[in-house]
Amino acid sequence: MASHWQATHRQRAWLYVLGGAIMMFLLLPTLLVVPMSFSDSSFLGFPPPGWSTRWYEHYWNSTEWTSATWVSLRVALVTVLVATPLGTLAAYGLHMSRGPLATAIFFALATPLVVPVIFIAIGVFYLYSRLNLLYTTTGLVIAHSTLALPFVMALVASGLKSFDENQEKAARSLGAPRWRAFLTITLPQIRFSVISAALLAFLTSFDEVIIALLISGGLNETLTRRMFTTLRDQIDPTIAAISTILIGISIGCVLLSQALQAKSDERG
Amino acid sequence: MVNPPVNGEALRAYARKEYWSVLALSFPALLLVSVVLFLPTGWLFALSFFDDAGQLSLVNYQRLVEQPSYLRVFQTTFLLSLAVTFFTVLIGYPLAYLLSQLPRRVANFCLLAVLLPFWTSLLVRTYAWLVLLQRNGLINTTLRDLGLTDEPLRLVHNFTGAAIGMTHIMVPFLVLPLYASMRAINPNYVKAAANLGAGPARSFWDVFVPLSLPGLLAGISLVFVLCLGFYVTPALLGGGKVIMIALRIDMNLRLYNSWGAASALGVVLLIATGLILYLANRLTRAGFGAGAFR
């Protein structure tokens, strides 16, 4: 294994130990929330003094928490339905037309990624107060779609890079209109990128806090907004139960996106 | 499209029409970003130049320079971002290096340790630290049981807590681009150094580290910029005592309903962010060779 130019495994054991410790630092804090959420005590210690599902019951029986969850789910799903087609179309259009103008538009569409979210939040707040969109689902969807758009565009654009355009040209030379060539030839081949993009759009919206803090409320309060305001005042074990559910969702999304990526790598 | 007329002018007109109709597919997205981001940006920019009575003035910016409370906000934001970026590099560089040296299959598995937190809700991770770092949390009870401390340490609702939580959240933002750029380093360079007589340490410091600098710089500027605008984690783990720019903007707006002050602060934050990203981009291209920002 080791040759003269390379340190042996034994020589670099410290690197493995250090790396392992860092991975633990990254993983453990979040994972510790899972056993804590099954505690029967209202005081959050580790290990918990006894086990129970009371905090899950508390979450499930509280209309405030469940209705906030529904608001978040609804907004995230509609955001996926808005951001995925818009981002996919934009990525496709810019990929096919190219040129300096296309590059400029690409960067313009990527700006929500680098602008501090608090800045977008106050801008949206100012805009919505004039359009009567404050505290509405529509308002949340529009703002969240803007945040999700760059992710969708970037993922689909990278999918298009490995797609051979000549196949679409062949379809078109045989008489298929562009939209038909796109739907039957291009889209099926970049579908893994599009599905990953939709997943990321969902999580972007579902996890967003700052904009929701300013423009959601009342009946349209999102889960994250409610979690944030609750956490500011106290440490409520109900949040441990909610966190565990959210961790489950994230793990599902990561594994799914990893599997999709492996599949698309296989295809070359 | 079938049988386009065979003459130059018509072909060019056809190509133009084709170009615009394809480019136009990006216009709905552009409209969305324009309405939600560019239009309000212009408004906030304009708003920051008016005082409370609606007169054109620089009073909002003057206040930022003259009031000690704002100077403290800038100081806190800058120091905390700097500290977090430093710790993120301290933790992220060795991890990215280790990952880049492992066989790809093993590295992909270990990468889950970076990806899982990355995809986990920000609030969940912040909550986890809130619980771990509290007076009677796991860290304080462990330290006491080991006999290292007599009294619980104050780890949360202060600068320390905010720095720990923010570092945890920022590590993936550094590791992911850094790992990608380290993977792209040709291992033959390191071998060549060894061939010329350099030991593992020498070839690491003199060959590998300089080659990884563009990726590192990209990661550092990303982390620093994200820290400058960070709201949730410093607000919760700082317990209202660590006031960063984002929190202050929110306070100006919701507590004092002061649009002028909020937009002036927002404009400063935006310009600082843009400037850092621009400088990092320039530095990478000029000083360290190309390739990091593609």
Side-chain angles (χ1 to χ4, degrees), chain A residues 187-234:
Chain A
L187 191 58
Q189 299 199 48
I190 58 166
R191 66 181 187 278
F192 294 122
S193 309
V194 177
I195 299 171
S196 298
L199 274 178
L200 201 54
F202 180 87
L203 280 186
T204 305
S205 166
F206 197 78
D207 273 351
E208 200 285 320
V209 191
I210 306 175
I211 294 180
L213 200 61
L214 285 175
I215 66 160
S216 88
L219 285 176
N220 273 319
E221 188 179 32
T222 66
L223 184 63
T224 47
R225 184 187 198 277
R226 195 172 168 77
M227 282 173 81
F228 181 84
T229 48
T230 307
L231 281 176
R232 209 163 40 185
D233 307 329
Q234 72 215 8

Side-chain angles (χ1 to χ4, degrees), chain A residues 62-224:
Chain A
S62 141
T63 39
E64 283 108 355
W65 283 114
T66 47
S67 95
T69 310
W70 283 119
V71 172
S72 280
L73 277 176
R74 199 173 61 220
V75 169
L77 283 174
V78 184
T79 297
V80 169
L81 294 180
V82 174
T84 318
L86 285 189
T88 306
L89 275 185
Y92 176 79
L94 297 175
H95 181 77
M96 291 297 173
S97 52
R98 298 195 182 88
L101 188 57
T103 311
I105 296 178
F106 189 91
F107 279 116
L109 293 181
T111 41
L113 218 54
V114 287
V115 173
V117 185
I118 186 75
F119 187 86
I120 304 181
I122 55 173
V124 167
F125 186 69
Y126 190 78
L127 177 75
Y128 284 6
S129 59
R130 269 143 197 81
L131 299 176
N132 276 329
L133 279 172
L134 283 180
Y135 315 121
T136 64
T137 311
T138 319
L140 279 168
V141 167
I142 294 175
H144 286 182
S145 299
T146 312
L147 287 190
L149 196 67
F151 291 114
V152 175
M153 190 179 63
L155 275 172
V156 176
S158 78
L160 280 169
K161 267 189 195 131
S162 57
F163 166 71
D164 179 10
E165 277 168 48
N166 288 324
Q167 296 181 33
E168 196 181 299
K169 284 192 185 130
R172 293 182 61 208
S173 76
L174 293 169
R178 187 179 274 280
W179 62 269
R180 187 135 178 230
F182 174 76
L183 284 181
T184 53
I185 306 292
T186 315
L187 191 58
Q189 299 199 48
I190 58 166
R191 66 181 187 278
F192 294 122
S193 309
V194 177
I195 299 171
S196 298
L199 274 178
L200 201 54
F202 180 87
L203 280 186
T204 305
S205 166
F206 197 78
D207 273 351
E208 200 285 320
V209 191
I210 306 175
I211 294 180
L213 200 61
L214 285 175
I215 66 160
S216 88
L219 285 176
N220 273 319
E221 188 179 32
T222 66
L223 184 63
T224 47

Side-chain angles (χ1 to χ4, degrees), chain B residues 151-173:
Chain B
E151 287 186 3
L153 299 176
R154 292 193 48 87
L155 294 171
V156 78
H157 296 317
N158 54 24
F159 195 89
T160 315
I164 296 174
M166 283 168 72
T167 303
H168 181 248
I169 282 157
M170 286 301 157
V171 168
F173 287 100

